[in-house]
Structure formats: C-alpha cells, structure tokens
Amino acid sequence: MSDKHDVTFTVNGEKRLIRVEPRRSLADALREDCGLTGTHLGCEHGVCGACTVLVDDEPVRSCLMFAVQAEGTRMRTVEGLAIGDKLHPLQQAFWDHHGLQCGFCTPGFLMLAVGILERDPDIAEPELREALSANLCRCTGYQNILKSVLAAAAEMRK
Amino acid sequence: VRWVGRPLRRYEDPVLLQGGGRYTADLAQGARILRFVRSPVARGRILAVNAPPEAAIITAAVLGDVKPISPRLDRPDYVPVAQPILAHERLTYVGEPIAAVIAGTAAEAEDLAEQVTVEIAAETPVVTLDQALAAGAPLVHDIAPQNTLIDARFATHDVAAALAAAHQVVEFTFTSGRQAAMPLEARGAVAVRDSVTGRVTLSASTQMPHLLRTGIADALGIAESELRVVAPEVGGGFGQKMALIPEYIVAVWAARRFACTVAWIEDRLENLTASFHARDQRLHMRGAFDADGRLLAIDADVLCNVGAYSNFPATCGVEPLMALADMPGPYRVPQYRARARAVASNTCPMAPYRGVSRPVITAAMERLMDCAAVRLGLDVLEIRRRNLTAEFPHTSVTGVVQDAGSYREAMEAAARVVDFAQFRARQHKARADGCWLGLGVSVFAERTGPGSPAFAARRMVITPGFERVELAMDPSGFLEARIGSSPHGQGLKTTLAQLIADEIGVSPAEIRVVAGDTDRTPYGWGTFASRSLVIAGGACKLAAVRLRERLQTVASHVLEVAASDIEISDGRAFVRGTDLAIEVRQLARTAYHQSHRFPAIAETGLSAVATYDPYGTFSNACHVAIVAVDIATGQVKIERFVVVEDAGRLINPMIVEGQIHGGVAQGIANALYEEVVYDGGGNILTGSLADYLVPTMAEIPELEIHHLETLTEASVTGAKGVGEGGTIGAPAAVLNAVSDALAPFGVGIFEMPITPQRILQLMREARREAK
C-alpha cells in the first residue's frame, strides 16, 4: 500500500506534481496534497456529488476516481472559477438567487453546472433539471439552485 | 433606509461560493486521525478486544474515569440511562463505539481499525416497538422495565364521556418510519492542544458549541476554561448536530493525553448508521366528532422507538413529550387524553430532527380531519373551518399559549390560490381517463423560539431558553455582535445584521456577527427549535436599542442638543428637523478617544449587552399538495405544492423562503422516500445514499409560497421562527393528497414514507377486500 506514485496534472491552470499511494482518491489528493479544500466529501460513494470537479471539462465525482487516473489531465475546481474578485456567472447567480444555504454541496453543484452549460449553453429546463439531479442538496429544496443555473445560463449566452 | 424586510443577499455567501468556507474536515490538515471500532451486532456482550501490539488503542479501560453521557429529565416516569463513552460490557446497537485507534492518515487509521478484533457473545436484539414491548422481552437496560424510558400521560376529565356521546369516532393507527437528518456534511471534530497551556480547542460540526463545552468538560472532569469549542462552517445539522456524542469526548481526551492534534471525520456509513435517527413512531388515534363535525375529544397513544440511549441535552423525551403537549396543534380540542412513551430498543439512538415529532403528529391529525370529513360528508376545508382556533391568545387543552396567528386565514388563502372547485372538476375528468389525481391540505401551528419556560415545562434539568448578545462599536464605527446562538447554514448572520442595522442606523455591511466560538461569544444554547431568529434576534434588537441610546448620548453632547432630539440613520446622527449632523464613525472615535467628555456612558462605552428569554411564539401555515398517483407502479408525482406561511414579520424574505423550500423538501422526503430500514437482527440495510433515498431536483417540485404577516407581541422583533414549518406541514399534505387520489379504490394512507411498494400493497389489499 505504501508504494507511492508520481502523478502530474494541472489544476486551475497550475501544474502539479504529487506523490500518492495508488489507493488515494482524487478527492483526497485535491484536498490534502493540493490543499484545495473547496472540493467537499459528502458520501465518498458516488451518490451526493459534493466532490464534483471538472476533469478535461467533464464533471467527475472525484471520490470515485483514483488520483493516479488523473495523470496528464487538466482539472478545474471551485477555487478556479472566479477571476480575481470577479465571480464566475454561476457563482454570481447562486449569490443573487440564494442558491446556497450551508454551502457544503455548493462547489459540487457549481462544477456540475459549469460542465453542463459549457457543453450545452442552450439546455432546456427539463433537461437541466434532469442533469442537475445528479447531485444532492439538503438545505435548499433545489428550487433556487435551478433558478440560479437558469439565470447564469442566460447571462453566459449574452 | 430600512433593512428589515429586504431580500438582502447573504454576507456568508462569497466565501462559500469560492470554496473558501472552512468546514471541520478542512481544519484536519496535519492531524492524527481517530477511527472508531464499532459494534457489528445489535446486542451482545464484549468478551475481549484484541489489537495489534503496536497500535495505540483507546478502550473504555484506557479512558478510565471519563464519565458517561447522562441526560436528565426531572420526571418520575423518566429512566435516566447513561451512555458509556466506549462500550465496555454491553453492546446495544450496531455502530456503537467500542474502541478507537489513532494513526497518521485516515487510510492508515482505517487499516488499523480493521486489525482490531472484538470477541462478542451475540444475543437476540429487540429492534421494533412490538419486540421491545412484548411481554418478557429482553431488556435493553436492566433499569428500564418494559424497555420504557418515559411513560407520560395527560388527560382531561371528560374524555370517555365525549367519546361515548360522539356522533362519529374516527380511529386508526398511524406509523412513521425511521428517518435520518442526513446533513450533507457529516459530523467531525478536530481537537488541538496548545503545547504551552495544555488547553484544547475543539472545532466540531455542531449546532451548540457552549453545550458541548459543558458536556465534554463534565465528562472529563475538567474546568470549562480548559476547553474552547468552535463551530466553524457547519454543513447543515437539522437537529442531528445538537447533541453531545462520545466521539467528541474521545477526541478531546486523546488530544490531551497524547499532546497532539486529533481529528475524527465521520464517514457517511457512520452517519447513517451510528449518529442519530428520528421519527420512528406509532400513534393510535381516536377522534370524537359531533354531528356538525366539531371535535369533541382526541384520545392518542403515542409510541416512540428511541433507540438504545437518550441524547444529551434534549433527552429521549424530545419526541414523545412534544407529541403529548402539541398534538392539538391549530385545533380547538376540548377533551384530550394521551399517553406517550419512549421505548428503548437495540437501534441507533434518537435525536431531534427538524420538526421533532410534529411532522408525524400533524400528519396524524390532518389524516383524522380528512377521514372525519368523509364520514360526515363535509368538505376538507369546511371541517377545518369548524375546528381551527380563531381567537388569540389561545390556551390549548395542554396549557400551551398560542399567540396571534392566522390559522383560518392561511387556509382560506391557500384555497383561493389553488381553486379547489376547478381542481375537483379536473380530478373528476381525469378519473374517467384512468388518471388518479389527489389534493391534500395540511394546516398546522408551530411553536417557535421557545424560551426557558417552555423547556422548564418539559422538566428538562438542563433548561435551554435565553440568548445573550454583546454588541460593541469599535473606534472606526464598525459593529461587532457576539451571539450565543450558532448558525449552521441558514443565513443568520445576514438576518441579524439587518435587524441591528435598523436599530442603530448603520449599514448591515458594517456589522460583523460573531458566532460559534466559546472564547468569543456569550454562553448560549445554539440553533434548534426555530429559535435563533426569534431569541438571538430579539436579544440583538434589545442590545441595539441600548447602544443607539448611548450613541445618542454622545451625539447630544457633541451637537449640544437633547438626546431625544437626535436621530440616527444612514450612518449619521442628526438633530431632528435640522441639517446639523455628525457621522456615526466620528461619534465612535470621539467616544473612545475623548471619553472624559461623556461620563454618562463611562461604564459601558459604546457597547451593550442584552438577554432575551421569551415564552415562545407560534408560526402557522397551510400546505396544499396536488399529486398524481400511477397505480401501475405506485409512483407519486407532486404536480403542485402551495404554501401559505405566517412567520410574522419577515426580516429577510429571501432567506425565509429558502427555509421553507428546504423544509418542504425534507417533508416530502419524509412522506415519500426516506426510511432507515433495519433487518430482524438489528442490522441497518440503508447504510449508503444509494439505499437511503434522499430526493433530488427531479423529485422536488417548484413551490409556490405566499406570506401572511401576523404581527405578534410575543416576539420583540415581530418575527416568528420559520426553520421547521416546511418539514412539519408537508408530509400531511402529501399523505392526504395520495389518500384523496386513491379514495375510489378505498385506499387511505396511514403510514410514511408511502413508497411505491406500499402503495401497490395497499391497492392489492383493497382489491382483495373488495372481492
């Protein structure tokens, strides 16, 4: 278990080299080896989606992927969304429309939504609702998350 | 500018949106990791605990004289069961902590824990209420005969006569499955020992930092000053995080003993199996009605399966005693008899969960109303009109005083929004097409913000209630409000800043609310019982009024007018009717740096403290659900969900609606999806989120929310609590709607969650009976 492997990838545009056990999950690697604790762990068995990050632009549950599988990939996490003080349109929309309460699921929802909207900027509401049902939120009842993502989609199309 | 009433965006959010929120697990970098070895059996005796020789293992013997968790109620019928920090002889539920190991990483700690073997003589457990109450049942605790930890009774004199004289007696048994609060962030602790002072700082995902400090200090036999408890960002709690738990005590003990930083980060399996559950209840209901549909009496027998231990500080009385006191809800109930028992079993203990018993008793009462309406040939609205309390204040049959509310008005408003006549026509037409639509109504009153009198009435030895707020303006004119309550995601800091801003006349952006740190805040009770806005908000307002008076005093000296002529708004103190003014920040600087000019405020400076301890106030609401039931699959789809809510004055309507959205979603989950399932051996079958079905965006409909604002003197801010109402009202509306949809088949729903399998089973039974 203790043989460690070198893994190289980029996170939020920054090149990283980490040394990890083969069993280390990508989520743990991001949180502990890269210090990016914005990616949260809600279940560690791939249901809640709190740990969603973008791996080569695809939303991925980082608790279900080994860090070694991320070799050579380009990843994005919640920490990379804002540019300086300027929030990403999705972050802004979640703030404007009360799309978060405790905030624990929020990074996962944001990254999921970024992935969805980048792939399909004109996604219709029923399909969006279906796609966002990939992740769990316990506080908001989802209504304001949907509202936030719809508002961001409109803003991003401008 | 007035801030109260505005849907101000939350000050909490920018950090959280950028991944900067520091939750407990984020503070565990560099910590030694604690992993618990838990009981694999529901009942048995420990024969031996064997660990690899090199392992640092913590067992009950190692803990020595650390005291057990001993929740107390001052009631003769209460059996005070104490929970050992680590099991040393008896095992009483699957997941009970037996030992703990410490390692450098989480993975190593898990490896180590797997190498610990526990020799156990397993015994047959009692899992269900029936098993626990059966004659000769094994006892979970020898000191609790019939496995009964609480046996509370209430009766007025003429219940039997009312039942005998009734035109109709509606009788049924209502069952609620066991549920889990399932905060998305599980629990966790990071205990850091200061190498110089030996003092420990515990960061924990908790709703009650001060109570944790008291409970842990008592368990370890240390002064509270030896311990600081911090609640960092808390990823939801919903009641599950308002109890003292063995894991926190072991974490602090280990940090002291091993002089290192120790972290315990609960995983989801532990959270679903071994944290706390709720709502495992069975009610036998009898409701007596006269020929006009007026309630004459309620006779209720309430059984709560409370699991293996009592929780601290709320105790296992939290569900049965709430049911006993609050069963009548929004209705006039002239005669009332109830027995409410807390029954121990070899299952995970209960703790409060959003709504506490009221989602279940409201569902039972609302099913009672609908059943009576059918029997009496009355409309579901009409029978409620005849029974809802309309005059306030109203003292309920159990002596609970309900302040001004809008029980009937909320229902009538909901009926107007939904247009019942139009729905009935649509339902009729749909039935002809083999489409089964139903409408369900739920009306409830919700006690919110109860202070110490309410908890004293429950005979809690640790009696929660007051909140204290310390408000201070610094020399730059910036305000800090230190509160005893401790938010866990509901936006309290923003809401309180709005309240304070209006009283002082500054912007809420210039107010920092400090919470969740026992070193920085006055002793308080935390977040539960829809109390934070009512009680901490009330204390904020009272403190702010005092501080404004102090500012007026300073301004009156500086501007050389009477203090009563000074008004403060928009960051300026000015003489009413003139343009003579001074900036608040200038006043602040002057008050500090030229204090000799202001002997009137020498004692306090620009600070103020206030404590608020109200009796409590009642929010109320009406929920209406319209559902379609697919009788081929048993699936229920919610087509429409309307809420008319009266939470008094809305401080931040956006946050209020967010609370309702989330509450209703959990109520719908309770009604249709979520259930903790045990097998006959007391093993949990729902230990993952693939089995414990938390609804997603695909299941939760868009809510329509309408507000009424009954202003009450029972709350100094006029605001009533709103944290739990959604969860309390929604199950009843959904169950009544499903029952309405299936009425043509003779099916009525008396259980939750009403899963597809259960609907199909009820349909089969109804068909068999019809033959």
Side-chain angles (χ1 to χ4, degrees):
Chain A
M1 282 294 187
S2 57
D3 334 332
K4 294 200 171 178
H5 293 252
D6 286 344
V7 187
T8 313
F9 46 65
T10 63
V11 189
N12 304 327
E14 199 179 316
K15 198 160 175 155
R16 301 270 190 161
L17 166 66
I18 58 171
R19 252 179 106 65
V20 293
E21 288 182 21
R23 66 177 173 176
R24 194 149 185 83
S25 73
L26 176 58
D28 285 344
L30 288 169
R31 289 176 53 80
E32 292 174 33
D33 299 298
C34 303
L36 297 169
T37 54
T39 298
H40 297 154
L41 288 166
C43 73
E44 294 179 277
H45 51 254
V47 178
C48 80
C51 65
T52 303
V53 300
L54 294 176
V55 179
D56 291 334
D57 302 326
E58 288 291 327
V60 159
R61 300 225 190 295
S62 61
C63 75
L64 290 188
M65 190 168 152
F66 290 116
V68 291
Q69 293 174 289
E71 174 63 37
T73 61
R74 188 173 50 80
M75 290 189 279
R76 281 183 283 166
T77 69
V78 69
E79 288 90 346
L81 279 185
I83 299 167
D85 287 343
K86 174 114 177 90
L87 295 179
H88 184 280
L90 271 159
Q91 291 172 313
Q92 186 67 43
F94 270 64
W95 191 18
D96 293 344
H97 298 283
H98 193 26
L100 67 155
Q101 287 182 30
C102 82
F104 197 79
C105 74
T106 310
F109 264 104
L110 287 169
M111 300 319 291
L112 174 66
V114 169
I116 294 168
L117 293 184
E118 284 182 354
R119 191 188 328 183
D120 186 358
D122 300 309
I123 189 167
E125 184 176 325
E127 284 74 31
L128 180 61
R129 189 180 268 275
E130 186 64 30
L132 290 173
S133 74
N135 283 17
L136 294 179
C137 168
R138 196 55 161 170
C139 295
T140 66
Y142 302 106
Q143 191 156 331
N144 286 346
I145 293 179
L146 183 64
K147 206 163 142 189
S148 302
V149 178
L150 286 168
E155 181 64 32
M156 287 161 74
R157 281 194 299 267
K158 275 182 194 166
Chain B
V1 183
R2 295 285 297 174
W3 296 98
V4 166
R6 292 167 65 163
L8 203 63
R9 290 183 308 185
R10 305 194 322 169
Y11 295 112
E12 289 90 340
D13 288 357
V15 165
L16 300 177
L17 283 162
Q18 295 177 80
R22 269 171 287 186
Y23 299 84
T24 300
D26 304 335
L27 306 171
Q29 292 276 9
R32 310 267 300 158
I33 303 296
L34 196 58
R35 180 79 184 172
F36 285 86
V37 177
R38 296 176 182 276
S39 177
V41 303
R43 182 185 175 90
R45 275 183 306 118
I46 300 174
L47 302 177
V49 179
N50 307 309
E54 71 280 10
I57 184 162
I58 304 165
T59 60
V62 175
L63 287 183
D65 57 2
V66 174
K67 289 186 217 42
I69 298 173
S70 303
R72 299 304 292 255
L73 281 179
D74 182 19
R75 297 176 57 95
D77 58 312
Y78 176 67
V79 180
V81 168
Q83 179 180 8
I85 306 310
L86 293 170
H88 50 88
E89 194 210 340
R90 303 289 313 162
L91 290 172
T92 57
Y93 65 99
V94 167
E96 181 171 10
I98 296 172
V101 294
I102 297 185
T105 69
E108 286 165 21
E110 286 179 41
D111 290 345
L112 197 53
E114 280 179 9
Q115 294 170 53
V116 176
T117 56
V118 185
E119 292 172 44
I120 296 167
E123 297 166 3
T124 305
V126 289
V127 180
T128 65
L129 282 169
D130 288 330
Q131 285 169 357
L133 293 171
L139 297 182
V140 178
H141 302 286
D142 291 341
I143 58 166
Q146 283 93 51
N147 287 314
T148 301
L149 300 180
I150 289 176
D151 188 350
R153 293 165 196 258
F154 180 89
T156 52
H157 291 299
D158 297 320
V159 175
L163 284 161
H167 178 70
Q168 293 285 343
V169 176
V170 178
E171 180 168 3
F172 57 78
T173 298
F174 186 91
T175 309
S176 164
R178 182 176 273 243
Q179 278 148 349
M182 220 298 289
L184 205 61
E185 181 209 25
R187 300 171 304 168
V190 178
V192 181
R193 181 180 173 278
D194 185 299
S195 61
V196 175
T197 64
R199 196 165 179 257
V200 172
T201 296
L202 173 74
S203 295
S205 188
T206 180
Q207 297 169 228
M208 39 165 246
H210 290 94
L211 267 285
L212 272 194
R213 189 183 72 186
T214 298
I216 295 169
D218 284 353
L220 298 179
I222 59 174
E224 290 199 36
S225 62
E226 291 296 298
L227 183 62
R228 170 188 182 196
V229 177
V230 175
E233 294 293 347
V234 175
F238 316 112
Q240 192 189 80
K241 295 176 180 173
M242 58 163 292
L244 175 64
I245 57 174
E247 290 87 345
Y248 293 161
I249 294 170
V250 174
V252 174
W253 179 91
R256 287 165 57 88
R257 168 63 66 96
F258 303 120
C260 65
T261 297
V262 174
W264 167 66
I265 306 302
E266 185 181 53
D267 67 24
R268 187 54 63 189
L269 176 66
E270 290 177 296
N271 184 261
L272 284 172
T273 58
S275 57
F276 291 104
H277 295 157
R279 311 240 203 287
D280 191 345
Q281 280 175 254
R282 190 165 76 208
L283 285 66
H284 189 77
M285 301 285 293
R286 285 200 297 167
F289 292 83
D290 71 11
D292 293 331
R294 289 194 171 80
L295 250 176
L296 302 173
I298 297 278
D299 184 16
D301 189 9
V302 179
L303 292 170
C304 303
N305 184 341
V306 298
Y309 290 108
S310 198
N311 68 81
F312 174 100
T315 80
C316 64
V318 66
E319 288 189 340
L321 298 179
M322 176 74 89
L324 189 83
D326 285 31
M327 183 77 78
Y331 298 109
R332 288 186 303 265
V333 177
Q335 296 292 326
Y336 176 54
R337 180 167 65 197
R339 180 181 186 190
R341 280 173 279 178
V343 179
S345 68
N346 291 119
T347 61
C348 178
M350 294 285 143
Y353 169 32
R354 200 173 197 169
V356 180
S357 204
R358 290 164 297 181
V360 185
I361 60 176
T362 299
M365 286 295 289
E366 293 301 279
R367 289 297 296 128
L368 188 74
M369 285 293 158
D370 273 21
C371 291
V374 170
R375 290 262 201 103
L376 291 154
L378 286 175
D379 177 76
V380 294
L381 296 174
E382 186 53 34
I383 194 161
R384 287 175 172 80
R385 270 180 208 124
R386 293 182 188 184
N387 289 292
L388 285 170
T389 301
E391 285 165 20
F392 302 99
H394 169 76
T395 302
S396 84
V397 67
T398 58
V400 175
V401 181
Q402 296 171 321
D403 59 313
S406 56
Y407 306 171
R408 269 188 64 168
E409 294 84 345
M411 184 181 77
E412 304 294 356
R416 281 192 300 275
V417 170
V418 172
D419 192 344
F420 278 35
Q422 191 256 336
F423 171 78
R424 291 293 175 207
R426 186 160 75 89
Q427 180 185 39
H428 187 72
K429 192 162 166 297
R431 281 178 179 172
D433 299 334
C435 184
W436 307 98
L437 302 180
L439 180 151
V441 175
S442 158
V443 181
F444 63 93
E446 177 206 0
R447 193 210 296 248
T448 68
S452 58
F455 289 105
R458 202 187 278 174
R459 312 298 294 270
M460 287 175 71
V461 173
I462 295 176
T463 312
F466 67 84
E467 279 300 330
R468 185 164 295 148
V469 168
E470 298 169 356
L471 202 53
M473 183 173 275
D474 69 23
S476 66
F478 206 87
L479 274 169
E480 185 170 271
R482 298 183 284 269
I483 67 170
S485 185
S486 191
H488 59 313
Q490 62 280 59
L492 188 62
K493 291 182 178 181
T494 300
T495 309
L496 295 183
Q498 287 177 260
L499 269 171
I500 296 165
D502 273 359
E503 294 304 329
I504 307 239
V506 297
S507 160
E510 289 163 11
I511 300 169
R512 186 149 66 128
V513 178
V514 177
D517 181 344
T518 57
D519 272 10
R520 292 274 285 122
T521 60
Y523 200 91
W525 295 90
T527 288
F528 56 91
S530 301
R531 69 189 297 279
S532 293
L533 177 58
V534 177
I535 308 182
C540 278
K541 178 174 170 137
L542 297 175
V545 168
R546 285 176 194 162
L547 183 56
R548 184 191 60 213
E549 287 166 2
R550 278 158 206 166
L551 282 167
Q552 283 168 325
T553 300
V554 176
S556 76
H557 282 285
V558 174
L559 299 173
E560 297 176 327
V561 294
S564 57
D565 289 334
I566 302 281
E567 209 167 293
I568 308 178
S569 70
D570 299 334
R572 291 163 68 249
F574 59 94
V575 182
R576 208 170 284 117
T578 73
D579 54 6
L580 199 55
I582 182 169
E583 300 263 325
V584 168
R585 57 188 63 174
Q586 187 57 46
L587 279 184
R589 195 159 284 278
T590 309
Y592 276 91
H593 295 167
Q594 303 202 322
S595 61
H596 61 282
R597 295 171 62 192
F598 314 108
I601 62 157
E603 198 64 41
T604 60
L606 290 184
S607 70
V609 179
T611 301
Y612 188 45
D613 186 8
Y615 173 83
T617 171
F618 278 78
S619 293
N620 65 273
C622 175
H623 292 191
V624 180
I626 292 177
V627 304
V629 182
D630 182 335
I631 60 166
T633 63
Q635 194 185 5
V636 176
K637 183 174 164 43
I638 299 174
E639 286 194 344
R640 192 172 178 197
F641 204 106
V642 173
V643 175
V644 178
E645 170 84 24
D646 190 339
R649 175 171 284 131
L650 304 183
I651 310 300
N652 183 323
M654 181 188 80
I655 288 175
V656 169
E657 294 199 354
Q659 287 294 309
I660 297 170
H661 288 158
V664 168
Q666 290 186 16
I668 289 172
N670 285 185
L672 294 177
Y673 305 110
E674 294 181 15
E675 184 172 20
V676 174
V677 181
Y678 279 94
D679 71 8
N683 301 296
I684 281 194
L685 304 179
T686 48
S688 83
L689 292 177
D691 309 294
Y692 187 79
L693 298 181
V694 175
T696 72
M697 195 181 283
E699 285 79 41
I700 301 300
E702 186 166 331
L703 305 185
E704 301 169 42
I705 299 174
H706 303 266
H707 298 287
L708 300 175
E709 284 195 58
T710 301
L711 295 182
T712 176
E713 289 177 3
S715 151
V716 288
T717 58
K720 301 175 170 193
V722 75
E724 298 170 280
T727 309
I728 290 168
V734 173
L735 299 189
N736 273 340
V738 175
S739 301
D740 184 46
L742 299 179
F745 303 97
V747 168
I749 307 299
F750 298 96
E751 60 190 306
M752 61 193 235
I754 184 69
T755 59
Q757 300 93 302
R758 288 198 177 117
I759 286 178
L760 293 179
Q761 191 188 333
L762 290 170
M763 293 288 288
R764 277 196 298 273
E765 283 167 12
R767 270 198 295 272
R768 216 173 308 148
E769 274 172 34
K771 272 181 191 159

